[in-house]
Amino acid sequence: MNYAIPVPALWPALPEILLSVGVLALVLFGAVRGERSAGTVRLATLALLLVTLVVVLAMPNERVVTFSGSFVLDGFAKFMKALTLIASAAALFISGDYFRREGIDRFEYPLLVLLATTGMMVMISAGDLIALYMGLELLSLASYVIAAFHRDDARSTEAGLKYFVLGALSSGMLLYGASLVYGFTGTVQFDVIATVLRGDPGLGAILGLVFVSAGIAFKISAAPFHMWTPDVYEGSPTPVTAFFASAPKIAAMALAVRLFVGAFPNILGEWRQIVIFLAIASMLLGSFAAIGQRNIKRLMAYSSIGNVGYALIGVAAGTVDGIQGVLIYMAIYLVMTLGAFACILGMRRQGVNLEGVDDLSGLARTHPGYAFCLAMMMLSLAGIPPLAGFFSKLYVFAAAVQAGLTALAVIGVVASVIGAYYYLRIVKVMYFDEPTGDFEPLPANIRAVLAVSTAFMLLFWLIPAPLVGAATVAARSLF
């Protein structure tokens, strides 16, 4: 008898394999060289992320399934992996000066970002509930550590502890929901779950879907599972907050899309109710709760909650246009967020990192270019045309109207108008208040990220075709 075990095709997972091997090699290098290797490890990590990005872009768009259905490579995975790698590389790129000035420049940080990125890549290509959970936990475990990376700062330690405790709770909810789905369908593979649930899904499977949705909502910080976000964003080192606000959000949103569209397409009515609730709660909470914030990192935390709500409008549509809108929204949100946090990293006076909105008073008089870039980020986040942020919301609102969710789109427009208040307040503080002091000159890496982000915000309406076309191809690969 032949007991040979077939070897799965490994090339679809080549990006993940590259990152995993790179982490192991850099761990050994860092262990041998010690803390002197921090700069070298950071540069090597950036190079590895960029090489992996090239590999991802070079892979074919057709759907490939390997590892017995656990791993899926398609156009959607390519698009979201590319965004995730760009987000991780950019967040790492702007971190070096901050960590050196704070005296916490250690080689472990880039490695933890690499591990988190590997987990995100697995999440995006997950073809079953087991791969979903493995990728999510690899991301989560690395995230808990980097949230508390500034060990001598009480706020950072508190942020890591809160994130760990609440993250463990959400992981338990997700795992319980996955076990219910498995128990009532007899499978963990998304394709087979979709086939089994073609008829009456049954209460057990619906209950499992609710728990899984709650676990994913925590990872994207959608209300009412947002309670960790403001404290973790404020307490974590600012480069870590920039990372949390960009890459994990993209990967978790990709996971939500793949789960709902891939595993539960035949019970659209059931999960649409969940997504609509999460979207409305997130948009309204993000719009109202940020109004009274005076710490700009907490303000950006509530802003991210609101932005997740807008993106979920496209998920609720459940159509090709809806998913296309989500992809465009997340790509533009990535650029806006990285640009905003690059500006926050530049808020430094006399060797002290500042986080107050009032610290930006009169910035247009002392640093007009800096103020202009931050104003473009805020106006784009508010959805002011013709900046890119306006078009990101336009695509998801249009998809919702086409799917018959006009009321949801109207709520989104109202929430966007309300949320514009606190974005415009920052612009008002910079351009109309009296200066309170002068910031230190911006490092070259911060200036580079600001220049690219601002150019993207201003010029997207002139050349939207590359991003829109890529998002269309990626969305269609799911259907």
Side-chain angles (χ1 to χ4, degrees):
M1 297 179 63
N2 184 11
Y3 293 98
I5 299 175
V7 178
L10 297 179
W11 69 264
L14 182 58
E16 290 79 4
I17 294 172
L18 278 176
L19 293 180
S20 302
V21 173
V23 167
L24 295 176
L26 291 173
V27 163
L28 291 175
F29 178 78
V32 172
R33 291 291 304 276
E35 297 304 331
R36 297 173 299 167
S37 64
T40 305
V41 172
R42 183 183 300 105
L43 290 175
T45 302
L46 278 171
L48 181 60
L49 289 170
L50 294 177
V51 169
T52 307
L53 175 61
V54 172
V55 171
V56 168
L57 295 176
M59 300 188 98
N61 282 323
E62 59 265 18
R63 178 182 172 89
V64 180
V65 181
T66 187
F67 296 106
S68 301
S70 297
F71 193 93
V72 179
L73 176 66
D74 53 15
F76 176 79
K78 277 187 59 179
F79 187 94
M80 297 306 270
K81 285 181 180 182
L83 290 185
T84 301
L85 289 165
I86 292 170
S88 297
L92 194 60
F93 179 64
I94 61 178
S95 67
D97 288 295
Y98 179 95
F99 284 124
R100 279 193 293 270
R101 289 170 173 173
E102 293 294 310
I104 54 173
D105 192 19
R106 306 186 183 97
F107 74 89
E108 290 92 343
Y109 177 70
L111 300 181
L112 289 166
V113 171
L114 264 186
L115 286 171
T117 305
T118 306
M120 289 185 274
M121 304 271 278
V122 173
M123 287 166 55
I124 293 170
S125 282
D128 63 21
L129 295 171
I130 297 175
L132 176 156
Y133 188 74
M134 288 175 58
L136 199 61
E137 285 308 294
L138 181 55
L139 164 64
S140 298
L141 292 173
S143 299
Y144 302 150
V145 179
I146 60 175
F149 198 74
H150 199 335
R151 295 175 297 187
D152 298 327
D153 184 0
R155 292 194 312 165
S156 180
T157 306
E158 180 186 357
L161 183 60
K162 285 183 177 179
Y163 197 11
F164 171 71
V165 172
L166 295 173
L169 174 64
S170 75
S171 294
M173 294 173 65
L174 189 145
L175 193 58
Y176 179 63
S179 66
L180 284 175
V181 172
Y182 171 69
F184 284 92
T185 62
T187 182
V188 294
Q189 292 190 4
F190 293 165
D191 293 344
V192 184
I193 291 173
T195 303
V196 172
L197 297 181
R198 194 176 299 275
D200 181 16
L203 180 60
I206 298 298
L207 190 60
L209 174 60
V210 170
F211 276 100
V212 172
S213 301
I216 294 177
F218 177 91
K219 297 303 177 185
I220 60 176
S221 63
F225 304 96
H226 67 282
M227 67 290 292
W228 63 275
T229 313
D231 292 335
V232 172
Y233 274 42
E234 181 182 2
S236 300
T238 304
V240 176
T241 307
F243 176 71
F244 286 163
S246 53
K249 282 251 191 324
I250 292 170
M253 188 62 70
L255 179 60
V257 170
R258 192 175 289 283
L259 178 73
F260 290 132
V261 175
F264 302 101
N266 298 312
I267 53 172
L268 172 64
E270 283 78 2
W271 63 256
R272 176 180 276 174
Q273 298 175 46
I274 300 172
V275 175
I276 289 175
F277 169 75
L278 294 174
I280 294 175
S282 300
M283 290 186 296
L284 294 180
L285 181 111
S287 296
F288 285 103
I291 290 176
Q293 299 301 321
R294 290 295 179 265
N295 183 290
I296 195 166
K297 287 168 70 176
R298 288 186 73 88
L299 186 148
M300 289 301 298
Y302 286 108
S303 170
S304 73
I305 295 169
N307 278 285
V308 163
Y310 299 125
L312 286 174
I313 292 178
V315 179
T319 61
V320 173
D321 290 338
I323 304 306
Q324 178 203 32
V326 174
L327 298 179
I328 295 171
Y329 195 98
M330 296 312 294
I332 295 175
Y333 166 78
L334 165 64
V335 180
M336 293 188 295
T337 300
L338 290 173
F341 275 99
C343 291
I344 295 172
L345 279 168
M347 294 171 60
R348 188 176 178 87
R349 184 180 299 145
Q350 297 177 351
V352 178
N353 296 304
L354 304 174
E355 298 176 1
V357 173
D358 294 333
D359 293 318
L360 294 166
S361 297
L363 185 64
R365 303 184 195 179
T366 56
H367 295 277
Y370 182 6
F372 176 76
C373 292
L374 182 54
M376 290 303 100
M377 297 305 116
M378 294 299 107
L379 294 175
S380 186
L381 283 165
I384 304 298
L387 299 175
F390 167 77
F391 294 97
S392 66
K393 292 179 180 178
L394 179 64
Y395 278 103
V396 292
F397 291 161
V401 172
Q402 291 173 3
L405 303 176
T406 305
L408 180 60
V410 170
I411 294 173
V413 172
V414 173
S416 185
V417 172
I418 296 170
Y421 167 78
Y422 55 84
Y423 296 122
L424 294 175
R425 179 163 60 90
I426 294 176
V427 178
K428 174 260 179 188
V429 166
M430 291 191 298
Y431 280 87
F432 297 103
D433 289 5
E434 290 298 321
T436 57
D438 197 5
F439 289 153
E440 296 177 6
L442 294 177
N445 55 349
I446 300 293
R447 292 200 302 269
V449 172
L450 280 181
V452 173
S453 301
T454 305
F456 183 89
M457 292 301 107
L458 292 170
L459 301 177
F460 174 78
W461 67 279
L462 291 175
I463 44 174
L467 177 59
V468 174
T472 303
V473 172
R476 287 174 179 168
S477 70
L478 289 176
F479 293 87

